[in-house]
Amino acid sequence: FTNNDKETFLNSLEHDNKLNKHTDERSFLLRKLLYNKQVQPPSTFTSSPSSPNSIQNPGSLESIQTVASGLWKVIYAPHMTTMANIGGGELDVQYDLRNDLTMTSHARYDFPFFKQKGYLSVSGTYGSVNELVCRVDFDQAWFKPFPLDEEGKMTEEDVPYASIEQVPDSVGKSIVTNVGNLMFLESVSVFPVSYMDDDLCVFDFELLGTRIVARKMK
């Protein structure tokens, strides 16, 4: 495996730790990476920058437990950048996957035109549907809007609430929790996994016919 399609795709991105803009070239390089991938079973799985391999059966519990735990950042997701562009802002999404199969996700939003900035967070569990499909089951949702001064600058530290227990009780907290529960649908809970190694994961968001690429930060 001498053609390093993973490296070529990653080198096409402007940032390695935040969401990148969608381009036709990047989407083509991603498809090429998936088409040319090689796989290794979890029992013997190794991957390096010079010889990347996807773990075999990336949706299986064995594969998930081998490489999934850690802090991941979304680095490529055409539907996310499209939504951000429509609102004239930016999104930054991270997933914290833990060994006990619990997880937390924080989506930072920044829409200067609407003077809206903050975090939307969810938590729950992740696991396997079958050898090629994983699922997430979120059961809590909360948000942290940032108060802004007259110049649009934040007046609080730029960090999310780590858990729903940290969120002060309010009507807004109850509303977000209730709306979040309505949004936790099967169609946004199941994700076929196209590629997964120890620092890169590509999964399909079938509801919108697009893919999400995440990279492990630690």
Side-chain angles (χ1 to χ4, degrees), residues 1-11 29 32-33 36-37 47-53 195 197 200:
F1 186 47
T2 57
N3 183 15
N4 197 333
D5 296 305
K6 174 183 175 181
E7 183 178 29
T8 302
F9 168 72
L10 293 176
N11 286 341
L29 293 174
K32 186 180 178 184
L33 162 64
N36 290 329
K37 69 182 180 185
S47 183
S48 68
S50 61
S51 182
N53 298 288
Y195 180 100
D197 63 24
L200 192 74

Side-chain angles (χ1 to χ4, degrees), residues 70 72 94-106 122-127 135-140 142 162 191 203:
W72 298 76
Q94 69 178 46
Y95 309 116
D96 186 5
L97 307 182
R98 295 176 282 274
N99 287 325
D100 62 359
L101 300 182
T102 62
M103 68 173 294
T104 304
S105 174
H106 302 292
V122 293
S123 66
T125 60
Y126 66 100
R135 68 174 295 121
V136 295
D137 293 287
F138 294 125
D139 53 20
Q140 293 179 324
W142 63 96
F191 301 95
F203 54 95

Side-chain angles (χ1 to χ4, degrees), residues 6 35 50 77 84 96 99 136 150 159 172 176-178 186 208:
K6 174 183 175 181
Y35 182 80
S50 61
D96 186 5
N99 287 325
V136 295
E150 293 181 357
V159 293
V176 171
T177 298
N178 292 332
E186 184 74 14
L208 297 179

Side-chain angles (χ1 to χ4, degrees), residues 102-123:
T102 62
M103 68 173 294
T104 304
S105 174
H106 302 292
R108 186 185 187 279
Y109 58 88
D110 183 3
F111 294 99
F113 181 80
F114 300 101
K115 296 184 178 180
Q116 295 293 319
K117 185 180 295 188
Y119 287 89
L120 178 62
S121 306
V122 293
S123 66

Side-chain angles (χ1 to χ4, degrees), residues 56-86:
Q56 190 176 45
N57 302 325
S60 69
L61 188 59
E62 181 183 9
S63 294
I64 289 172
Q65 291 178 319
T66 300
V67 297
S69 65
L71 181 65
W72 298 76
K73 294 286 291 289
V74 174
I75 59 172
Y76 194 67
H79 68 291
M80 291 186 187
T81 48
T82 297
M83 289 188 293
N85 291 338
I86 292 174

